[in-house]
């Protein structure tokens, strides 16, 4: 939630409809900036953004880096081995060291749920959660929402299916909070082993049968099996998983004929999604999600640094 002094974006849970819509509107304005031949602005000139990543990432890290640079900020990337953190310098020590260098925004990705919040309590700058364990990934949900809104013109009343490894997915959690707050009808589809018990309390309808879950859906959001977060075996085999939960045209036939296909990436073709479906130019908006990611992160950096800029004026 974005809270004042300094403002942070730690999760979608707790954000109001108005706060979410304001961020989407702000991001919308940056879509055209990113499509223009000259993409730079001087909004964040003199400001420092640090990407502090304790988990590897290509898409999200590059997207935040581009967003910061296109707004004119100085952007530093730090990739830190999480195991080194546990052994030696603590997470807090790292944050305090960086804090002493006076960054304006710290973008944090870590394998532990709650890491971004913990850091936000110790530093003076704004903190953005770029994914904390299986907890939240707020900018992913915002970019998904922007992609959907631009394609369909709305979010309220849409039937959205989130399919796959719901249990270990921060993308699922952030999307559930956002889509429910904006009035979408959300279904989650997963094998029983990957469907957290009590998920209904988040206002979603669970399904273990994919065809039934996809019935008349407007949006089909696929998720990767997060094997790095699994302890033990959750699916009998990849082949079996694809047979029951991989998105192919046969299962997609249950959704609306114009249903959009989404995936946060990285995709595992032939595991949770058939290659042809992923590349279907009429239905898949997976590349557009990546494009909207930069606009959303520009909007977030703009929003977080705004009160400081106004205060300084
Ligand atoms: N990129 C997303 C995340 O960081 C989804 C994934 O890794 O499967 O959570």
């Amino acid at each position: 939630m974005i809270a004042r002094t300094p403002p942070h974006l730690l999760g979608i849970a707790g954000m109001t409809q108005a706060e979410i819509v304001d961020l989407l509107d702000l991001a919308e304005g940056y879509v055209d900036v990113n499509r223009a031949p000259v993409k730079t602005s001087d909004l964040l000139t003199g400001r420092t953004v640090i990407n502090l990543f304790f988990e590897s990432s290509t898409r999200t890290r590059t997207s935040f880096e581009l967003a910061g640079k296109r707004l004119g900020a100085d952007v530093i990337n730090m990739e830190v081995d999480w195991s080194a953190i546990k052994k030696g310098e603590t997470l807090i020590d790292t944050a305090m060291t960086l804090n002493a260098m006076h960054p304006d925004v710290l973008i944090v990705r870590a394998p532990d749920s709650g890491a971004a919040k913990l850091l936000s309590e110790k530093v003076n700058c704004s903190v953005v959660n770029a994914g904390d364990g299986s907890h939240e990934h707020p900018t992913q949900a915002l970019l998904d929402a922007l992609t959907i809104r631009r394609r369909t013109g709305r979010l309220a009343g849409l039937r959205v299916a989130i399919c796959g490894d719901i249990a270990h997915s921060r993308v699922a959690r952030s999307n559930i909070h956002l889509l429910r707050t904006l009035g979408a009808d959300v279904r989650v589809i997963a094998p029983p082993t990957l469907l957290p018990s009590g998920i209904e309390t988040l206002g979603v309808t669970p399904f273990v049968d994919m065809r039934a879950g996809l019935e008349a859906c407007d949006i089909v959001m696929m998720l990767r099996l997060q094997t790095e977060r699994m302890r033990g075996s959750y699916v009998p085999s990849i082949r079996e998983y694809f047979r029951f939960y991989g998105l192919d045209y046969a299962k997609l036939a249950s959704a609306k004929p114009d249903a959009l296909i989404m995936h946060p990436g990285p995709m595992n073709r032939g595991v949770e999604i058939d290659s042809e479906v992923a590349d279907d130019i009429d239905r898949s908006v997976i590349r557009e999600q990546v494009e909207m990611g930069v606009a959303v992160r520009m909007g977030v950096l703009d929003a977080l640094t705004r009160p400081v800029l106004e205060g300084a004026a």
Side-chain angles (χ1 to χ4, degrees), residues 8-48:
H8 305 298
L9 179 62
L10 302 175
I12 300 291
M15 282 181 77
T16 64
Q17 194 177 93
E19 284 172 324
I20 294 169
V21 171
D22 279 355
L23 276 180
L24 294 179
D25 291 346
L26 196 55
E28 183 79 58
Y30 284 111
V31 176
D32 288 340
V33 174
N34 286 327
R35 289 181 178 175
V38 177
K39 303 170 177 62
T40 46
S41 121
D42 57 5
L43 189 73
L44 297 190
T45 302
R47 306 250 162 204
T48 306

Side-chain angles (χ1 to χ4, degrees), residues 55 60 109 130 137 140 170-171 224 226 228-229 264-266:
E55 253 184 7
T60 308
R109 168 168 288 193
H137 190 355
Q140 178 70 47
R170 53 197 177 205
V171 174
R224 179 174 70 91
Q226 309 265 183
E228 73 278 22
R229 291 186 204 130

Side-chain angles (χ1 to χ4, degrees), residues 235-250:
V235 294
S237 71
I238 294 305
R239 213 165 136 192
E240 191 82 346
Y241 184 78
F242 182 77
R243 186 163 156 233
F244 289 99
Y245 295 99
L247 186 67
D248 53 15
Y249 282 114

Side-chain angles (χ1 to χ4, degrees), residues 52-58 61 78-82 108-112 130-134 170 224 226 228-229:
L52 179 59
F53 278 59
F54 297 102
E55 253 184 7
S56 64
S57 158
T58 317
R61 213 253 311 120
M78 288 188 60
E79 289 211 11
V80 187
D81 180 7
W82 187 249
V108 185
R109 168 168 288 193
D112 278 14
D132 63 329
S134 52
R170 53 197 177 205
R224 179 174 70 91
Q226 309 265 183
E228 73 278 22
R229 291 186 204 130

Side-chain angles (χ1 to χ4, degrees), residues 90-107:
T90 66
L91 176 65
I92 306 293
D93 283 340
T94 307
M96 296 313 285
T97 305
L98 293 175
N99 194 46
M101 297 177 196
H102 303 293
D104 298 278
V105 185
L106 201 53
I107 293 154

